[in-house]
Amino acid sequence: MKNLMKYFRDYKLESILGPLFKLLEASFELLVPLVMAQIIDVGIKNRDMGYILGRGGILVLLGVVGLACSLTAQYFSAKAAVGIGTRLRNDLFRHINSLSYREIDIVGTSTLVTRMTSDVNQVQAGINLTLRLFLRSPFIVFGAMVMAFTINVKAALIFVAAIPLLSVVVFGVMLISMPLYKKVQRQLDQVLLTTRENLLGARVVRAFNRQEDEAARFGQENDMLVRLQVFVGKISALMNPVTYVIINGAIIVLVWTGAWQVEEGIITQGEVVALVNYMSQILVELVKLANLIINISKALACANRISGIFAQESSIVERGGQARRDGADRREGSGAGDGGNRPESGRDRAEAEYEASGTGKAEAGPGRMGAESDPAVSVPRVEFRDMDFYYAGAKEPSLSKISFAAMRGQTIGIIGGTGSGKSSLVNLIPRFYDAAKGAVLVDGVDVRDYALKELRGKIGVVPQKAVLFKGSLRDNMKWGKKDATDEEIYKAIDTAQAREVVESKEKGLDLMIQQGGRNLSGGQKQRLTIARALVRRPKILILDDSASALDFATDAALRKAIRENTKDMTVFMVSQRATTVKNADQILVLDDGKLVGLGTHRELLESCEVYREICLSQLSKEEVTQ
């Protein structure tokens, strides 16, 4: 909650003026019973119409001024609440985008959506009500009691007895209801999660004819939410009748006492009416205060939940601002002219470590550009050194003791069964997750030493699930490179074998993509997401099973185009198809999170049982030996 108080700094003036004008309105309201008492005791008693009209004018003036103060207070309160809500929502969205995959996996998407929408709206409403009523209601309550003492001390003692009793009821209900509202919000998260799963998996649900089962499951979650809401609603609903009973009881005692005092000439009839009016004001304001406390309780619960998201810090922490110089780029003027006295750079140290370790010398493969023969690129483009990786909460590693090197210009195929860790491995390269042990290096530099923007600027990623955003095809293609020309975009589209997709829609790059790419088939979306990654001309291209929806002919044409058009780009191709990876310069075979095979297709057929079984299960004997 303390983290959210900073948002009031930019709205200090509004946060002061809102309650201030409400207090002015309350002050005018407290004067009304006194004016009414004068009308009764003087105007009506003496049948002085002029006096009655004069005091009536004062009542109208008090009402108009009070209304003006109320509208002004409402304006400032709403301005502060909406402004704080807007900034809070923006900061929360920005913070969520800064979290790594690990934190998002832990918190859950449905929970984050609830925090961004329902919780922020509740906090915004709570701020508005607090600025308007939090000071006004107590001010009226205690102000009415003070005014009662100015009229008659003995009668005012009734106020002294009633107010603490009412406070016990109000704050007792608040203390009971606050934790219950937290349970309601948690159950709301569960309902949203169930809804989200059903909407995203609607086709699967219908394919297995599980609509009734899912409806029953949703009904159970929703019923639980209803039961919690009804239970906490019953407790909250006790507040109004109990407070009315107490106040009306106090009014009965007040009228009884006042009648005897009028009879004895201690107070006047107008003063009794004023005391009853003050008691009625207390009743109204305590009901408002009770409802305010309920809303504040909800807002505080939501604020604490939002603070919990802000407290989640990304496990992906940048060690420094700008990473060390790209170890794989050529240096200008580094020849014999420097007399051998130039200082050792990060790249030099990486080369020395790599050559000393001997990693990858026999594994480099031919490569598309003869990378292994060029001394300027002797440092691996990507290297894994004895790397272990755990998902959050897992007791066993998802990847264990992974070591390999990929040189510039090579194609690296990654194959293995479902759950073997293929996607987990490639997600470590752009540092979507961090290794628990060992290191992942890009251009000889540990990925943890890069600024994230610099590291991910080197990498193009095509995830398993093809995602396109609402907007034109041109806008989608420019995600990788904002200033990309149409020529660059069409070149990437040609490489991705997506030209016919664009031409068939007859609108070119102005084709409007619907949300999630609903107006495209699965294969079309996959080819366009590959094109989007290629537009930026990354040094490392990761294709995470991104051609699974393509037919074998298109898949083969895509692999051929990527090999011919990506020059010195290092390409990682994750697939469960043996045909997709068999021509790669290196093939990594994963099984249960372990690297059980590393080499070319022919080498692995002889040395890796897992790879041989995969190939024989998918290909004919002739295709295997080709």
Side-chain angles (χ1 to χ4, degrees):
M1 182 61 191
K2 293 180 180 179
N3 296 333
L4 304 184
M5 295 303 295
K6 64 182 181 181
Y7 293 97
F8 284 89
R9 296 173 187 168
D10 296 328
Y11 294 92
K12 288 180 180 178
L13 182 62
E14 289 83 356
S15 299
I16 293 172
L17 291 177
L20 179 61
F21 276 97
K22 269 297 179 182
L23 291 180
L24 287 174
E25 179 208 357
S27 300
F28 294 129
E29 189 171 332
L30 288 173
L31 295 175
V32 170
L34 294 180
V35 177
M36 282 299 302
Q38 292 175 348
I39 291 175
I40 294 171
D41 292 338
V42 179
I44 295 177
K45 181 180 180 181
N46 299 325
R47 297 183 180 181
D48 187 346
M49 186 58 66
Y51 187 88
I52 293 173
L53 291 176
R55 288 298 181 268
I58 293 175
L59 288 177
V60 172
L61 180 61
L62 289 174
V64 171
V65 175
L67 176 63
C69 291
S70 178
L71 292 175
T72 305
Q74 178 62 51
Y75 168 78
F76 286 120
S77 299
K79 183 178 180 181
V82 172
I84 291 171
T86 300
R87 296 196 178 190
L88 177 59
R89 194 177 290 107
N90 287 335
D91 288 351
L92 184 59
F93 183 79
R94 191 178 298 110
H95 180 75
I96 290 172
N97 277 308
S98 73
L99 298 177
S100 70
Y101 284 13
R102 179 186 178 89
E103 285 72 47
I104 293 175
D105 292 343
I106 293 172
V107 178
T109 306
S110 61
T111 299
L112 295 175
V113 171
T114 305
R115 300 295 183 273
M116 279 289 301
T117 53
S118 174
D119 286 352
V120 173
N121 289 340
Q122 189 67 57
V123 169
Q124 181 175 311
I127 291 172
N128 193 356
L129 289 172
T130 300
L131 293 177
R132 287 167 46 207
L133 300 175
F134 190 69
L135 291 180
R136 182 189 188 279
S137 292
F139 181 79
I140 289 284
V141 171
F142 290 102
M145 186 175 66
V146 171
M147 298 299 288
F149 271 100
T150 63
I151 295 173
N152 183 268
V153 175
K154 187 176 180 180
L157 292 177
I158 300 172
F159 288 75
V160 176
I163 290 175
L165 188 59
L166 289 167
S167 300
V168 170
V169 173
V170 169
F171 287 101
V173 171
M174 180 191 71
L175 292 175
I176 295 172
S177 62
M178 278 188 66
L180 292 175
Y181 278 119
K182 292 180 181 179
K183 288 185 179 180
V184 169
Q185 288 300 118
R186 284 196 294 269
Q187 185 60 28
L188 178 60
D189 282 348
Q190 191 61 37
V191 171
L192 289 173
L193 174 61
T194 305
T195 304
R196 182 175 181 273
E197 285 180 343
N198 275 271
L199 291 176
L200 292 177
R203 295 184 179 181
V204 177
V205 172
R206 293 176 184 178
F208 285 89
N209 196 28
R210 295 292 299 271
Q211 295 96 317
E212 293 183 4
D213 294 336
E214 289 301 306
R217 185 164 74 96
F218 177 82
Q220 291 176 354
E221 298 291 350
N222 196 42
D223 287 345
M224 177 64 74
L225 176 62
V226 171
R227 285 196 297 270
L228 285 172
Q229 287 178 323
V230 169
F231 180 65
V232 70
K234 287 179 178 178
I235 294 175
S236 300
L238 284 174
M239 190 176 295
N240 283 0
V242 173
T243 52
Y244 270 98
V245 167
I246 294 173
I247 287 293
N248 287 322
I251 290 175
I252 292 173
V253 175
L254 182 62
V255 172
W256 178 265
T257 304
W260 284 104
Q261 289 181 329
V262 170
E263 182 74 19
E264 296 174 2
I266 299 173
I267 61 174
T268 65
Q269 293 176 345
E271 289 173 335
V272 173
V273 172
L275 289 171
V276 172
N277 283 338
Y278 281 129
M279 188 64 76
S280 299
Q281 285 184 350
I282 290 174
L283 171 62
V284 172
E285 293 304 322
L286 280 175
V287 171
K288 288 182 181 178
L289 183 61
N291 292 324
L292 172 64
I293 289 173
I294 291 173
N295 282 284
I296 289 177
S297 299
K298 292 180 181 178
L300 287 174
C302 294
N304 288 329
R305 287 150 56 87
I306 293 171
S307 293
I309 301 300
F310 279 118
Q312 287 278 352
E313 296 184 359
S314 176
S315 58
I316 306 298
V317 180
E318 299 185 55
R319 291 179 178 173
Q322 187 71 15
R324 290 177 289 173
R325 183 179 177 183
D326 182 0
D329 288 344
R330 294 179 182 273
R331 293 189 299 265
E332 297 295 334
S334 59
D338 47 31
N341 293 322
R342 58 182 176 83
E344 184 183 38
S345 68
R347 179 193 159 204
D348 298 325
R349 289 193 297 274
E351 287 181 0
E353 291 175 5
Y354 176 67
E355 291 170 0
S357 66
T359 305
K361 289 182 179 179
E363 306 163 353
R368 291 193 296 279
M369 298 298 294
E372 74 285 3
S373 63
D374 188 347
V377 293
S378 59
V379 174
R381 175 71 82 194
V382 177
E383 182 182 359
F384 282 64
R385 292 183 181 173
D386 196 26
M387 190 280 306
D388 289 355
F389 169 68
Y390 291 79
Y391 279 105
K395 296 181 179 179
E396 298 295 328
S398 297
L399 294 168
S400 177
K401 301 186 183 303
I402 305 295
S403 295
F404 72 91
M407 307 303 290
R408 177 184 295 189
Q410 285 190 318
T411 295
I412 309 298
I414 303 175
I415 196 169
T418 301
S420 59
K422 304 184 295 297
S423 296
S424 301
L425 186 142
V426 293
N427 280 334
L428 293 165
I429 300 172
R431 207 184 171 201
F432 295 148
Y433 296 96
D434 267 343
K437 178 185 174 185
V440 180
L441 292 84
V442 171
D443 293 330
V445 178
D446 192 318
V447 293
R448 289 168 289 198
D449 289 333
Y450 277 100
L452 289 176
K453 185 176 182 180
E454 181 186 3
L455 172 66
R456 293 171 184 172
K458 297 171 177 279
I459 302 169
V461 180
V462 185
Q464 281 181 316
K465 183 179 179 181
V467 177
L468 294 170
F469 298 90
K470 184 176 181 180
S472 70
L473 177 59
R474 180 182 287 104
D475 292 338
N476 272 272
M477 292 297 104
K478 287 186 176 183
W479 269 65
K481 185 179 180 183
K482 292 182 179 179
D483 58 347
T485 64
D486 287 359
E487 182 181 356
E488 291 175 314
I489 293 173
Y490 273 115
K491 185 176 181 181
I493 287 173
D494 287 337
T495 302
Q497 307 301 299
R499 171 72 77 159
E500 61 89 10
V501 177
V502 179
E503 292 178 347
S504 65
K505 301 295 182 179
E506 299 180 354
K507 292 185 179 180
L509 297 180
D510 294 320
L511 169 68
M512 291 304 297
I513 306 295
Q514 295 181 9
Q515 184 180 5
R518 291 197 303 266
N519 55 331
L520 299 172
S521 69
Q524 290 173 335
K525 286 192 288 186
Q526 283 191 337
R527 281 177 281 172
L528 290 175
T529 53
I530 293 171
R532 180 177 60 194
L534 289 170
V535 166
R536 73 189 307 173
R537 301 296 300 171
K539 295 181 178 180
I540 301 167
L541 177 64
I542 297 173
L543 304 175
D544 187 3
D545 205 11
S546 52
S548 58
L550 305 184
D551 59 75
F552 286 99
T554 306
D555 185 17
L558 172 65
R559 284 184 278 111
K560 180 181 178 182
I562 289 176
R563 176 175 287 273
E564 292 174 351
N565 299 331
T566 55
K567 296 183 179 179
D568 63 346
M569 190 184 300
T570 302
V571 180
F572 287 84
M573 302 185 74
V574 176
S575 181
Q576 296 189 31
R577 291 182 181 176
T579 53
T580 301
V581 302
K582 65 178 291 189
N583 294 318
D585 301 312
Q586 286 192 85
I587 301 173
L588 310 180
V589 184
L590 295 176
D591 184 41
D592 196 23
K594 296 181 176 59
L595 184 60
V596 296
L598 173 61
T600 63
H601 171 69
R602 294 188 179 279
E603 292 171 348
L604 291 172
L605 285 176
E606 298 177 1
S607 63
C608 182
E609 181 66 24
V610 174
Y611 183 75
R612 185 162 54 251
E613 289 179 359
I614 293 173
C615 289
L616 291 174
S617 67
Q618 298 179 11
L619 308 172
S620 65
K621 290 185 178 180
E622 292 76 14
E623 290 174 321
V624 169
T625 56
Q626 285 179 357

